[in-house]
Every structure is written in C-alpha cells, then in structure tokens.
Amino acid sequence: MKIFAVILLSCTLTLYQHGKTLREEGKQVEAMQAFIEAAHSGTDDEALLGRIRSNMANMCRQANDHETAFEVYALSAEHFWKANDTLAYAYALNNMAWEQAVMGHKDSARALISQAITVYPHEPLLDKVRESQAAACFFAQEYDSVLYYTASSHDSDYLLMLRAQAFSFLQMDDSATFYAKLLLPRMTNPFYLDDLYYILTHNDLSAQKDTLLKWSSERADVQKQIKERHGQLALAVHLLQQDLHPQKQSLSIWFILLIVSGLALALIIWLIYIAYQQYLLHAEKAKFEQARIQELNANKQLLLESEDIRQELVWNDYEALRREINKRFFNLAAKLQDMDLNEQDIRMCILVLIGLSHKETAEMLNCSPKSIGKLKDLTARKLGVSGGQLQEKLLKTAIL
C-alpha cells in the first residue's frame, strides 16, 4: 500500500509540475488539464492537493471569473486545513477574502480577513492581508480607507496601484501622478500599465509627449498580450467548471427535457379541452337543431292539416305571407331573399318545404301541374341543388 501511495504521489507531483511549466509557457488550457488530472490522481497528500487547487484558482482570478476563483480557493483552504498547514490555510482564506472584495461583498471579505489573521497573525501573511483590506475598501469606494491601508514604505505594486487610483478618484491629481510615476519604473505586472497610462494621461499635464507615446505603444502591446492570454484563460476556466460541476450540463438537459415534456403535456391537455368544448358545442348545436326540426315539423303538420292553407298563409299578400313564414319557419323567407331568390321562388320553396303534392302546389301557384317540376328544378338550381334535394336544403336553411 505504501508503495502504491508513493507511486500516486509521484504521478501527482509530475502532473502538478507539468501544469506549472505549461502555465509559464502560456499554454493555459493544457495547464488546466494537467492540474485537473493531478487533482484526480487519487493521492492523499492534502497539502499538494491544496497547492494544485490554488494554481487553478489563480488562473480563474486572472480570467476575471471571481466566483469560480472563490469556489476553488475554498477547496484549497479545505485541503490545507486537513493537512494542518496553518500558513497555507490562512493564505487561502485571504485569497477568498480578496475574491469577495472584488465581487463587492465587503462584509464577507472582512470576515474572512479576520479569520485569516486569527489563524496566522504573523508576517508574511499580514502584508497580503493589507492588500485584501485595501481591495475591500477600494471596491466599496471607500477611498480614504484605501489610503490608510496603503500607507507604508513597503507597499507592493498592487497596493501602490490602489493608492494611485484612490488619489485619482479623490481628484488629488498631484498625488495620483506621484505614485503612478513611482510605480512605473519598478512595475513587474504588465496588467497595471493600462491604469497607469490613464492616470498619467489624465492627471499629469506636464508629461512629455514622447514619453506618452512610448507608454501608449507599450500599452497597446500589453493589451494585445492580455487579450490573447485572457482568451486562453477563459477556455481553461470553462474546462475547470465542467470538472467542478460534471452534472451541470446533464442537469440542464434534463431541465430542458422536463420543460419540453411539461409543455407537451400542457398542449395535449389543451387539445383535449378544446376537443371536449367542441364536443359540447356540437352536442348543444345538435340538440338545438333537433328542437328546431321538431318545431318546424310541427308547424308543417299544422299547415298540412289546415282546412285552407291558402287562407292560413295569406297567400295573396306577399308581405303578410313573408312575415308568417319568417315567424313559423325561423326567418326562412328572409334567408331565401338574402340568397337572391325572387317572390315566385320563395313561394315555391315554402310549398316544397311544407310537402304539398305537385297538384296542390300548382293550385296554390295558379299554374299547370306539368310546369311545377320545371319550376321546382329552376328554383333548386339557384340554391345549388337538384329538385330532389330542395326540401332537404330548405330544411337545413331554416334550422341553421
């Protein structure tokens, strides 16, 4: 077992060192992949795992993904705690505080800073703690407090940068320019060049043109390098996020599938509801039509049983006839008139609907029984049906 543990440790160290080398060479994605493999190598060396996670978190910080950086620094802190490495644990807490400060969570940052100082209240941690304290104040726009935490002759480049920016935001241009010029010759971090250029070009009115041109040229080169590096770092962080949350993508797919299934179910329920409503509407319509048919047939029967249909329908007075037919047969005369039938056609339709024979119809229309069939066909043709279909057509027209 010990031999196996030694082999695992050796493999983890090799991957860790390889990842650091790749980082120095600018191969950020390959470096992150090496760190991920090292983290999953199976070693129980908590201190080494903590350093691996710290490197991952540093890459997230450089990619400006502070949420992921905070999460990974927290993992490194857990490893260092298990390894009883007090200084490394305190550093991890301080790094967590810095990420909280950048995200604007001032109270959380200060709580983590206090915890780090309690764990290891000695140098060199205290110098790094001042950076987090200054950052928390800076991102909270408490610029006077920034000046307090950066007031030291042993300030790091980052603290000098914060001090220059604080003076600039406080509109103390001379002091901002002084610290920007102080930082420029000793600057080791090219990422500060953009801020320095802004301060010097906006506050130092006496700056020489050739010097500004030099800074501008250097700034453009650095910005190009930073952009290329940031693109690589973003890909590396994405790789890390997939490792930290392996089920995040699958959960998203399941969530999408759940939504789609829910929408499909809702659509099916809606279609069933619409179909049911259509069924009720159709049933109600059928019931309504049946009632009208019964009423219409009753009226037909009354007329057929009448001793004198001609007198019953006021046959010689067309207007009176039309009113009576509209009243008895659901506005049939008005509907037929809207279908461009003339007075003679409407009289024919009424007689056909009632069901009189050709002889009776001829008597009512004062014409020859031989011409009734022809007149009936002509009227039916105007309604788009044959003579044999005329009565059914009139029945539908009346009840609808």
Side-chain angles (χ1 to χ4, degrees):
M1 290 297 294
K2 289 185 178 180
I3 295 176
F4 183 67
V6 171
I7 293 173
L8 282 179
L9 178 60
S10 177
C11 291
T12 307
L13 277 170
T14 301
L15 288 169
Y16 172 58
Q17 293 298 335
H18 182 56
K20 291 180 67 177
T21 302
L22 290 171
R23 276 192 71 187
E24 293 172 358
E25 294 174 355
K27 300 176 181 178
Q28 308 299 332
V29 178
E30 293 87 344
M32 183 63 80
Q33 184 61 53
F35 289 140
I36 291 172
E37 291 175 4
H40 293 295
S41 63
T43 183
D44 58 357
D45 190 324
E46 297 291 347
L48 178 56
L49 291 172
R51 292 200 296 274
I52 293 169
R53 293 295 184 186
S54 292
N55 275 269
M56 292 175 169
N58 287 337
M59 295 174 73
C60 296
R61 174 182 289 182
Q62 291 174 359
N64 293 326
D65 189 337
H66 300 291
E67 289 186 4
T68 306
F70 175 81
E71 181 180 356
V72 182
Y73 276 131
L75 292 175
S76 71
E78 184 178 346
H79 287 304
F80 290 133
W81 174 260
K82 292 178 181 178
N84 293 319
D85 191 336
T86 306
L87 178 58
Y89 176 63
Y91 265 110
L93 290 173
N94 184 62
N95 283 326
M96 292 167 63
W98 196 90
E99 299 303 329
Q100 289 290 296
V102 173
M103 290 188 288
H105 305 152
K106 181 179 65 174
D107 294 337
S108 298
R110 287 176 174 170
L112 286 165
I113 289 169
S114 298
Q115 187 179 352
I117 294 174
T118 301
V119 171
Y120 195 90
H122 310 292
E123 299 292 347
L125 175 69
L126 295 181
D127 285 336
K128 298 301 292 183
V129 163
R130 281 204 306 126
E131 291 187 3
S132 298
Q133 290 170 325
C137 295
F138 181 80
F139 290 106
Q141 299 182 358
E142 298 173 357
Y143 301 120
D144 290 329
S145 298
V146 173
L147 297 179
Y148 170 78
Y149 285 113
T150 59
S152 172
S153 58
H154 303 291
D155 282 341
S156 63
D157 289 357
Y158 181 69
L159 287 175
L160 277 178
M161 189 71 254
L162 288 182
R163 190 169 181 81
Q165 288 179 308
F167 276 124
S168 180
F169 280 112
L170 290 171
Q171 297 183 349
M172 301 174 70
D173 298 343
D174 291 340
S175 297
T177 302
F178 171 79
Y179 282 101
K181 286 183 174 181
L182 182 65
L183 177 59
L184 189 63
R186 54 179 275 189
M187 184 181 61
T188 58
N189 192 333
F191 290 88
Y192 298 154
L193 185 59
D194 197 52
D195 293 319
L196 288 175
Y197 179 81
Y198 177 86
I199 292 172
L200 290 170
T201 53
H202 284 74
N203 297 327
D204 186 10
L205 300 178
S206 63
Q208 296 180 4
K209 290 183 178 181
D210 56 344
T211 304
L212 291 178
L213 288 173
K214 178 177 179 294
W215 287 338
S216 179
S217 175
E218 291 178 358
R219 175 171 170 264
D221 292 340
V222 170
Q223 283 180 327
K224 182 179 179 181
Q225 295 172 14
I226 291 174
K227 185 176 181 180
E228 293 174 355
R229 185 180 180 187
H230 191 274
Q232 283 285 312
L233 284 167
L235 292 174
V237 171
H238 180 68
L239 189 65
L240 174 60
Q241 288 172 337
Q242 289 182 323
D243 178 67
L244 290 173
H245 309 287
Q247 295 184 356
K248 186 175 182 180
Q249 186 175 4
S250 61
L251 286 174
S252 298
I253 294 173
W254 279 111
F255 182 69
I256 292 171
L257 289 175
L258 182 62
I259 291 177
V260 172
S261 301
L263 291 174
L265 180 61
L267 178 61
I268 291 172
I269 293 173
W270 180 74
L271 289 174
I272 292 173
Y273 173 77
I274 293 297
Y276 179 67
Q277 291 296 318
Q278 289 294 324
Y279 166 76
L280 292 178
L281 183 63
H282 180 73
E284 187 67 25
K285 183 178 179 182
K287 183 178 178 181
F288 174 75
E289 290 177 359
Q290 188 62 34
R292 282 201 160 195
I293 289 173
Q294 291 176 358
E295 184 178 349
L296 185 145
N297 287 331
N299 281 325
K300 284 170 53 178
Q301 192 64 30
L302 286 174
L303 288 172
L304 286 171
E305 294 174 355
S306 172
E307 294 181 0
D308 191 345
I309 294 176
R310 185 184 296 276
Q311 182 179 354
E312 183 78 18
L313 291 178
V314 198
W315 203 255
N316 294 325
D317 186 345
Y318 177 69
E319 290 300 322
L321 172 67
R322 193 167 62 86
R323 285 195 299 271
E324 191 67 23
I325 291 301
N326 283 334
K327 178 181 177 182
R328 290 177 182 266
F329 299 116
F330 315 114
N331 289 319
L332 176 61
K335 293 174 183 177
L336 293 174
Q337 192 171 9
D338 290 339
M339 298 169 79
D340 295 330
L341 267 64
N342 58 35
E343 180 179 332
Q344 184 70 11
D345 295 328
I346 293 173
R347 290 176 185 272
M348 171 62 74
C349 288
I350 294 168
L351 295 172
V352 170
L353 179 62
I354 293 172
L356 294 184
S357 65
H358 279 201
K359 181 180 178 180
E360 292 172 321
T361 301
E363 291 177 358
M364 296 293 289
L365 295 177
N366 295 319
C367 62
S368 170
K370 295 181 180 180
S371 63
I372 290 300
K374 186 177 180 180
L375 291 172
K376 181 179 177 182
D377 289 338
L378 288 173
T379 302
R381 202 173 302 140
K382 291 182 180 180
L383 295 177
V385 295
S386 66
Q389 298 171 326
L390 181 57
Q391 188 179 45
E392 182 181 355
K393 173 68 175 180
L394 293 170
L395 178 63
K396 290 182 178 179
T397 303
I399 65 176
L400 295 178

